[in-house]
Amino acid sequence: MATNNSKLQLTNLDFDTIKSSLKTYLQNQNEFADFDFEGSGLNVILDILSYNTFYNAFYMNMVANEMFLDSAVLRQSVVSHAKLIGYTPRSAVASQAYLNVTITKTPGDNTRVLKIPRYTQFAAQGANNTSYSFYTVDDTVYVQNNSSTFTFTNVLVKEGLPVTKSFLYNQATNPTAYFKLTDVNLDTSTMTVGVQTSATNPSYNIFSLAQDATEVSKNSNVYYLEEAQDGTYQIYFGDGVLGAALSDQNIVTVSYLVTKADLANGCQTFALQSQVLSGSSSNVSLSNMNNPSFGGAQIEDIASIKFTAPKSFISQNRAVTVNDYINLINKNYPYFNAVNVWGGNESSPPVYGVVYVSAIPKTGFVITQAQQQYLLNTVLKPISVLTVTPKYVNADYDFLNFTVNIMYNPAKTALSAQQLQSAIGKSIQTFSNQYLSTFNSSFYYSKFLQYIDGTDNSIQASQATIYLQKTFTPDLSNTTSYNLNFGVPLHRGTLNDRLYSAPYFNLNDQSGNQQQCYLEEIPFSFGGVDDVQIVNPGYGYASAPTITISGDGKGANAYPIIVNGQVTSVVVDNPGDQYTTATIAISGGGSVGTPAVLTPILLGSTGTLRTYYFDSMSTKKILNNNAGKIYYSNGMISLINFGPSNVGSSDQSLSIYAQPQDSIFSSSQHIVLAYNSNDSSALNINLTPVSS
Amino acid sequence: MPLNTRTYSDLNMSFTPNPITQDILKVTGPNSVVQAVVNLVQLSHYDKPFHPEIGSNIRSLLFEQLDMVTADALAKEISYLLGNFEPRIKTKNVIVQSNSNLDGYDIEIEFYLLNLTSPLTISVFLQRLR
């Protein structure tokens, strides 16, 4: 018999190291010596041993992986782990739309009550002229007085194919009362379940989905829903303790929509298909077509289940923390690319008892009013904590505009200048996808240049100027004030890099003539005195002392306000200009105590906007020297009494462009830093060929 | 046992037990190497798990036309195989002759076992079966 004192390695997992370990083991025995030769019989046996060990190791590894939510790769394992923590993965979601339906009665028709029944069919055209069927999911009843029309507003329709299945419950063959729904892509939110007592007894009860086991009693008409092993769903019923139990020969009827999920998003043209509307169907008109169908989504994927299930467990389906809100919105309303939530206490000024929600849709930039209402009332209200009111704030976009100057060596690239420009554009898009277009995003100038420089070997050097673009649509019939929030600190402009607006807007000049005007920041010349800081208010002033500002500039003038013998504030009535340094001397006032100490503040935190136009001689004329304020530190622009009669863009929108103060800046709350590659003016690339 | 006195020893592929000890019989010395050479010749690519490079194309060559060209190819395959995967021998000669009467090949492999002065010879007849 072979004798051996060496130890086998147990941690090897691949075939070669297992075999090598066995050979090492055999090296110390004296019975057989041929294990290391490929043709030997012993080597063949080692192959079999190693293969078997490897196979078992792999299998055990797979089994171990599937035992944990983090490492499981099979959908049925992930779903099963999620089930243990009370999480049912979201099914496919049908695309939905809200329609206004107007039905005109035929003369002589005395109908007063009209119903649009459940599963009334509407045909819709989607992208690429594909047809989709939308159905109402509930009955809508309208009682009308004497009008000749019935108007149904915001009728909810969902895309899909209605499916109804009936099961005869046989206690002997199906003791656990499980019923499998074999359709894939069914939308479980459209599911209705009813139970008829028997084929001969038409008594019928509606069962609802059990949401919370603590609310379920032995008489509750509830059903439970879970994902079956192959991605389909199955329902089951209570056992007489947690929910009413079925009786033998009950007939279970389940109806739901089988959807095409996100494919049906964006349908705009709807037409009534069903001929069931009270004999008046020929007089039906539909409106509200401007809000295309939305909200359709594929069944929740494995990565999403792994991410969401533990968080859902922590939040217990209640929205308390920021992450609760974000995860529950993503789970229940998977229509958004990104969601941000912040408490009202973080607002300025703080608003208590309110939580703000903002979202970026998967297509476009803002979500419609109907979607906001659905989000607030259907998704958030049931899960929000009492006394906390969710409010929706539209995402506010800072579009980044780039002027990029590139030096490149044409001898080092096969690309033409145009192709190089196009490649740089793609690099910037990649940068944008990586860092921008979401909430709490940051712009890094150095990384931005890295993406540009990495486009092609021929690029020798690059430099970029960044402007933030804020677009708004002013009220053309009223004069009002506007606050535009860039949300990032803004650069205090000089002659060449000051804030500006585009396109033109019309205002009346002093003579009442309409002029094509623009906004601009009044360029900042070397510091006037913007403010005076009171270091020591002094004591015992009988009257206001005289303040003298001296320095290397000229013209600054200020006077103090005295209350109870102390300087409480200083009014700068002329900031002066050309100051780089200044001091303040105080004289007079009859002080008998300590004199006040004042320090001038040269760099102000605000800037001023003005409107201007060019007259018929192309001379620049200033219309209003105080059209608004710029708060550089928080990026707020305030337009005062702004009332243009027209804006020179097709959609009447006006854009304001300002440079950020820093080369690294971040957005927060509802502000989104974005790059719109569809806007040709957002990117300007200047290529300069160099020879080395 | 010191390495310099170790002799080659392998399992006897008949797996016959020793009538007294019930241990499986061994083959030792040159017989062990000869057994390994025969095994190697019969090994096709992909027979060994995870090592498709070990083995030869001999099986498929038996289904080629029975002529001198195939015989020569067989000889080269065998020389290559033994040269690469049986370090204990130095092949002296591989003679393959087609035998049209029996529809197969007479193969004679002549080799030196390392540390053994006289050459050994194995004669095999290879015939396709199916």
Side-chain angles (χ1 to χ4, degrees):
Chain A
M1 286 291 289
T3 55
N4 198 312
N5 294 322
S6 69
K7 290 176 182 171
L8 267 173
Q9 291 285 323
L10 293 175
T11 52
N12 301 324
L13 284 178
D14 69 288
F15 178 84
D16 282 332
T17 45
I18 291 168
K19 189 171 173 185
S20 149
S21 172
L22 287 171
K23 283 180 186 173
T24 311
Y25 173 76
L26 286 176
Q27 271 170 3
N28 292 326
Q29 54 81 48
N30 49 24
E31 196 77 11
F32 296 107
D34 287 7
F35 49 81
D36 216 3
F37 305 108
E38 299 297 341
S40 70
L42 196 57
N43 199 285
V44 174
I45 288 179
L46 285 188
D47 278 340
I48 296 168
L49 267 173
S50 307
Y51 184 73
N52 188 48
T53 310
F54 171 73
Y55 187 92
N56 275 314
F58 177 79
Y59 186 74
M60 291 304 294
N61 201 31
M62 280 292 291
V63 169
N65 277 346
E66 295 303 317
M67 285 171 70
F68 301 98
L69 182 62
D70 287 331
S71 52
V73 292
L74 298 175
R75 184 175 179 94
Q76 66 186 68
S77 309
V78 175
V79 169
S80 176
H81 290 304
K83 194 202 295 185
L84 288 178
I85 51 177
Y87 182 81
T88 305
R90 174 182 51 72
S91 71
V93 180
S95 186
Q96 57 182 278
Y98 290 90
L99 302 176
N100 292 340
V101 183
T102 307
I103 300 164
T104 309
K105 289 199 287 192
T106 48
D109 186 349
N110 293 323
T111 309
R112 288 194 60 236
V113 178
L114 191 58
K115 179 170 86 170
I116 299 180
R118 186 183 189 211
Y119 291 154
T120 300
Q121 186 183 3
F122 294 83
Q125 290 284 102
N128 303 325
N129 283 334
T130 314
S131 295
Y132 295 97
S133 291
F134 283 70
Y135 292 86
T136 53
V137 286
D138 289 307
D139 294 343
T140 312
V141 178
Y142 184 78
V143 179
Q144 168 243 47
N145 294 325
N146 293 315
S147 167
S148 60
T149 57
F150 292 96
T151 305
F152 297 81
T153 53
N154 286 335
V155 176
L156 175 64
V157 291
K158 292 192 173 186
E159 182 275 328
L161 177 71
V163 173
T164 300
K165 294 208 164 168
S166 293
F167 305 91
L168 179 65
Y169 174 56
N170 186 323
Q171 202 161 14
T173 56
N174 184 9
T176 51
Y178 271 74
F179 302 97
K180 193 162 185 179
L181 310 170
T182 50
D183 294 293
V184 291
N185 272 343
L186 67 89
D187 181 349
T188 56
S189 68
T190 63
M191 189 181 288
T192 55
V193 176
V195 177
Q196 186 178 328
T197 307
S198 70
T200 53
N201 184 347
S203 171
Y204 188 83
N205 285 315
I206 298 287
F207 278 56
S208 57
L209 178 65
Q211 300 276 14
D212 188 345
T214 59
E215 295 172 0
V216 175
S217 71
K218 64 180 181 180
N219 296 320
S220 302
N221 284 343
V222 294
Y223 68 94
Y224 297 89
L225 175 76
E226 66 182 31
E227 189 176 323
Q229 288 192 343
D230 48 2
T232 58
Y233 286 84
Q234 61 189 9
I235 60 169
Y236 58 100
F237 292 85
D239 54 359
V241 179
L242 280 175
L246 293 184
S247 305
D248 205 24
Q249 299 305 307
N250 277 173
I251 297 170
V252 176
T253 306
V254 188
S255 60
Y256 47 81
L257 287 176
V258 175
T259 89
K260 294 189 171 64
D262 55 342
L263 294 177
N265 285 343
C267 290
Q268 277 187 304
T269 316
F270 291 84
L272 178 70
Q273 289 294 99
S274 302
Q275 301 293 312
V276 289
L277 297 180
S278 180
S280 304
S281 55
S282 59
N283 300 322
V284 173
S285 68
L286 300 174
S287 60
N288 204 22
M289 302 294 195
N290 292 331
N291 294 329
S293 58
F294 64 93
Q298 296 288 348
I299 190 169
E300 186 170 13
D301 61 22
I302 291 177
S304 173
I305 299 171
K306 284 184 176 182
F307 180 79
T308 314
K311 295 170 183 64
S312 169
F313 177 66
I314 291 166
S315 70
Q316 296 289 313
N317 216 30
R318 292 179 190 89
V320 180
T321 69
V322 166
N323 278 340
D324 295 347
Y325 274 94
I326 293 174
N327 289 317
L328 288 166
I329 291 172
N330 282 334
K331 179 195 165 194
N332 297 325
Y333 196 44
Y335 176 62
F336 304 120
N337 258 348
V339 176
N340 201 23
V341 175
W342 65 99
N345 58 324
E346 294 172 30
S347 295
S348 178
V351 183
Y352 296 103
V354 170
V355 63
Y356 291 104
V357 179
S358 191
I360 302 173
K362 284 189 173 152
T363 53
F365 294 111
V366 291
I367 70 174
T368 64
Q369 197 71 30
Q371 291 167 336
Q372 290 178 25
Q373 291 308 315
Y374 184 85
L375 177 66
L376 291 177
N377 297 333
T378 312
V379 178
L380 289 179
K381 208 170 178 183
I383 54 174
S384 291
V385 173
L386 215 65
T387 74
V388 173
T389 311
K391 282 193 176 170
Y392 185 80
V393 184
N394 265 326
D396 194 357
Y397 293 84
D398 284 358
F399 288 108
L400 273 71
N401 286 222
F402 303 110
T403 301
V404 184
N405 299 315
I406 306 272
M407 293 171 76
Y408 80 111
N409 186 347
K412 286 188 176 174
T413 180
L415 300 177
S416 67
Q418 200 173 5
Q419 287 170 328
L420 187 59
Q421 280 189 336
S422 166
I424 292 168
K426 282 179 186 161
S427 293
I428 292 174
Q429 184 64 52
T430 312
F431 170 84
S432 163
N433 294 343
Q434 177 75 31
Y435 291 102
L436 306 177
S437 302
T438 188
F439 293 108
N440 303 320
S441 54
S442 294
F443 177 87
Y444 305 105
Y445 183 69
S446 61
K447 290 249 188 276
F448 179 71
L449 292 187
Q450 270 178 23
Y451 273 72
I452 292 174
D453 292 350
T455 307
D456 196 86
N457 282 336
S458 63
I459 295 176
Q460 310 259 357
S462 59
Q463 179 266 334
T465 308
I466 299 125
Y467 266 91
L468 299 172
Q469 175 192 353
K470 185 68 89 184
T471 301
F472 73 109
T473 308
D475 186 344
L476 301 181
S477 50
N478 294 306
T479 298
T480 183
S481 295
Y482 297 89
N483 285 325
L484 306 174
N485 185 6
F486 279 87
V488 298
L490 296 178
H491 169 67
R492 189 178 180 92
T494 61
L495 185 63
N496 296 321
D497 59 5
R498 61 193 188 275
L499 176 148
Y500 66 96
S501 74
Y504 68 83
F505 49 90
N506 289 353
L507 287 176
N508 289 344
D509 63 13
Q510 287 84 350
S511 315
N513 299 321
Q514 206 166 69
Q515 300 289 353
Q516 292 189 349
C517 298
Y518 301 88
L519 273 165
E520 70 171 6
E521 175 184 5
I522 295 177
F524 170 66
S525 62
F526 271 110
V529 175
D530 266 13
D531 201 356
V532 174
Q533 184 189 358
I534 301 167
V535 180
N536 184 344
Y539 175 72
Y541 283 104
S543 61
T546 306
I547 288 178
T548 310
I549 301 174
S550 51
D552 53 357
K554 58 180 182 183
N557 193 30
Y559 60 88
I561 306 289
I562 302 294
V563 176
N564 293 333
Q566 291 188 316
V567 179
T568 54
S569 63
V570 177
V571 177
V572 180
D573 52 359
N574 185 354
D577 60 9
Q578 298 175 18
Y579 286 94
T580 60
T581 176
T583 55
I584 292 182
I586 299 181
S587 57
S591 169
V592 292
T594 316
V597 179
L598 307 175
T599 306
I601 299 171
L602 292 180
L603 283 174
S605 61
T606 62
T608 309
L609 288 170
R610 67 184 177 192
T611 49
Y612 68 93
Y613 64 94
F614 292 96
D615 67 7
S616 55
M617 305 298 289
S618 294
T619 306
K620 184 174 176 179
K621 299 277 188 185
I622 305 300
L623 185 59
N624 179 359
N625 241 330
N626 190 19
K629 280 220 154 201
I630 310 166
Y631 298 89
Y632 296 107
S633 57
N634 60 7
M636 184 72 84
I637 305 276
S638 156
L639 296 178
I640 306 159
N641 295 334
F642 188 62
S645 57
N646 184 36
V647 180
S649 61
S650 57
D651 59 352
Q652 308 283 298
S653 67
L654 180 64
S655 293
I656 290 182
Y657 300 84
Q659 282 198 0
Q661 178 184 279
D662 305 312
S663 51
I664 298 174
F665 48 94
S666 305
S667 67
S668 62
Q669 298 186 348
H670 65 300
I671 306 289
V672 180
L673 301 176
Y675 165 65
N676 185 3
S677 58
N678 296 324
D679 180 0
S680 58
S681 64
L683 179 60
N684 184 19
I685 301 173
N686 303 315
L687 291 177
T688 309
V690 291
S691 56
S692 61
Chain B
M1 180 181 288
L3 280 176
N4 57 0
T5 60
R6 173 179 286 177
T7 54
Y8 301 123
S9 57
D10 192 8
L11 292 163
N12 188 328
M13 298 311 282
S14 67
F15 285 97
T16 315
N18 182 313
I20 299 166
T21 64
Q22 297 298 312
D23 280 353
I24 291 172
L25 292 179
K26 293 196 295 187
V27 283
T28 53
N31 287 341
S32 150
V33 181
V34 168
Q35 178 183 284
V37 167
V38 174
N39 276 349
L40 260 185
V41 170
Q42 292 176 359
L43 203 65
S44 295
H45 293 299
Y46 292 97
D47 277 356
K48 273 192 177 284
F50 303 102
H51 284 284
E53 77 281 6
I54 301 173
S56 69
N57 210 19
I58 289 168
R59 256 174 223 279
S60 53
L61 282 173
L62 295 178
F63 286 81
E64 296 293 329
Q65 199 156 14
L66 191 76
D67 57 15
M68 286 301 294
V69 178
T70 313
D72 189 48
L74 271 174
K76 280 184 178 160
E77 277 284 310
I78 292 169
S79 300
Y80 176 82
L81 183 67
L82 297 181
N84 278 298
F85 300 114
E86 186 45 272
R88 291 173 289 182
I89 64 168
K90 184 170 171 52
T91 312
K92 184 186 176 197
N93 209 358
V94 178
I95 301 162
V96 180
Q97 284 184 322
S98 56
N99 185 333
S100 52
N101 292 330
L102 294 172
D103 203 16
Y105 297 91
D106 293 308
I107 298 172
E108 201 172 279
I109 305 167
E110 213 177 338
F111 59 89
Y112 290 104
L113 190 59
L114 298 185
N115 299 331
L116 212 67
T117 49
S118 56
L120 294 170
T121 304
I122 303 173
S123 293
V124 194
F125 179 74
L126 287 182
Q127 183 186 28
R128 70 181 185 207
L129 291 177
R130 53 186 166 82

